[in-house]
Amino acid sequence: MKIGWIGLGNMGIPMASNLLAADYKVAVWNRSPEKASPLLALGATLVPTVSQLVDQSDILFTMVSDDDAVKAVYSGPEGIFAAAAHGKLAIDMSTISPDTSRWIAGESKQAGLRFLDAPVSGSVGPAKEGTLVIMVGGDEADYKQAKPLLDKLGKAAIHLGPNGAGASAKLAINLLLGITVQGVAETLLFARSLGIGTDQMLNIISESAVGTPLIRGKAASILADDFPAAFALKHMAKDLRLATAAGVSTPLAESANASYRHALESGLGDLDLMAIIKHLEG
Ligand code: NAP
């Protein structure tokens, strides 16, 4: 089976690497082709156009930034729909709105392409380890065909219903992620204002019932005040905006949406989402 992979950002690189490690033949396309070099070293082929990628693939994966990027790679003038996609299966793992996912699914049907929305929970670490949680929307038969591949990328690939169901579940889990990270930031800043050191407070959180791998994973960044992006803050701002557009209007959701939006506007978008602490400390 030949795989085509579109999107070689923080997530796409380690995910495609796992398919190569499992001995699949993987061809890749990225808007910025130079980002493919780590995969070429692992045996991937770089192709110059999406059309050529579609031609030489049985199954296509897309892992790009947002709704606009997904629309560009599927329905743009040089996108998947403009190529000979009939009979193939496309799996979009980007985090986008359920409406856009359903729209892409409808357009795919017109083009004779089968389509799954399959966004992921878990950042670069789980992407490298192949332990993502994958939320899938689409036809059961397509899910069954994709499952062996998804099992190389994640520890759980859960079929939730028709197209858009995966995208919907992803917005819900990322609502919890955004709120949690902001909660950690507020807790540390509050403790600091009372004279409790950040290292001591991180230790207390870690040992407590609310300690999680997420918080332990962010500790080094927080202590060094250095936030290279594993999950960029701009993507969290996008996900909360999408959740709001999809109807969430609860108090914590509204507050987190506003905080990440303001942090993005103040120029923190390319840092890790944990940089919300920089925004909150003012
Ligand atoms: P990223 O590092 O910012 O990479 C984005 C990718 O999208 C790059 O390959 C970029 O191409 C491509 N792209 C952007 N706009 C495009 C366009 N108009 N046409 C074609 N390609 C375009 O993002 P990421 O962290 O890998 O995240 C990818 C998706 O996964 C996002 O939807 C994000 O919300 C979601 N996600 C991320 C994480 C995480 O921890 N990072 C976790 C779960 C889910 P260039 O290289 O040319 O810029």
Side-chain angles (χ1 to χ4, degrees), residues 220-238:
S221 259
I222 295 167
L223 290 171
D225 191 29
D226 183 23
F227 299 95
F231 181 35
L233 188 146
K234 65 184 172 193
H235 290 322
M236 177 48 77
K238 166 202 51 134

Side-chain angles (χ1 to χ4, degrees), residues 8-241:
L8 301 176
N10 290 328
M11 296 296 280
I13 292 267
M15 292 169 76
S17 301
N18 283 338
L19 295 180
L20 285 160
D23 280 340
Y24 285 103
K25 201 168 167 351
V26 182
V28 299
W29 178 89
N30 195 54
R31 184 179 61 175
S32 313
E34 67 279 2
K35 290 198 187 157
S37 32
L39 291 178
L40 303 188
L42 299 175
T45 317
L46 176 65
V47 294
T49 65
V50 169
S51 164
Q52 285 174 55
L53 188 80
V54 172
D55 274 351
Q56 56 183 264
S57 305
D58 304 307
I59 298 193
L60 293 157
F61 284 89
T62 50
M63 188 52 162
V64 293
S65 308
D66 54 19
D67 289 47
D68 287 345
V70 169
K71 284 180 184 161
V73 299
Y74 278 85
S75 64
E78 294 176 1
I80 293 171
F81 297 147
H86 198 275
K88 311 206 174 199
L89 173 63
I91 305 170
D92 180 41
M93 307 195 82
S94 325
T95 304
I96 60 169
S97 78
D99 282 348
T100 298
S101 255
R102 283 187 283 265
W103 182 79
I104 296 282
E107 295 292 304
S108 295
K109 213 167 206 160
Q110 305 267 333
L113 174 73
R114 292 171 294 122
F115 177 78
L116 294 172
D117 49 295
V120 305
S121 179
S123 192
V124 172
K128 284 184 180 155
E129 291 156 11
T131 56
L132 295 165
V133 175
I134 305 173
M135 294 150 278
V136 187
D139 285 353
E140 174 91 28
D142 296 334
Y143 163 72
K144 283 192 172 145
Q145 187 191 352
K147 182 80 168 47
L149 290 163
L150 299 180
D151 286 343
K152 299 295 177 202
L153 303 175
K155 62 180 175 185
I158 305 160
H159 186 225
L160 294 154
N163 283 123
S168 299
K170 171 62 188 174
L171 293 189
I173 187 67
N174 267 26
L175 173 60
L176 181 59
L177 175 65
I179 288 170
T180 302
V181 169
Q182 178 163 334
V184 171
E186 290 187 15
T187 299
L188 293 174
L189 293 173
F190 172 56
R192 201 184 292 169
S193 76
L194 299 180
I196 309 298
T198 298
D199 52 345
Q200 287 169 315
M201 201 62 220
L202 279 167
N203 191 25
I204 292 164
I205 296 171
S206 191
E207 296 297 331
S208 76
V210 291
T212 62
L214 168 77
I215 301 169
R216 286 190 281 278
K218 299 295 182 197
S221 259
I222 295 167
L223 290 171
D225 191 29
D226 183 23
F227 299 95
F231 181 35
L233 188 146
K234 65 184 172 193
H235 290 322
M236 177 48 77
K238 166 202 51 134
D239 295 352
L240 291 168
R241 177 177 50 76

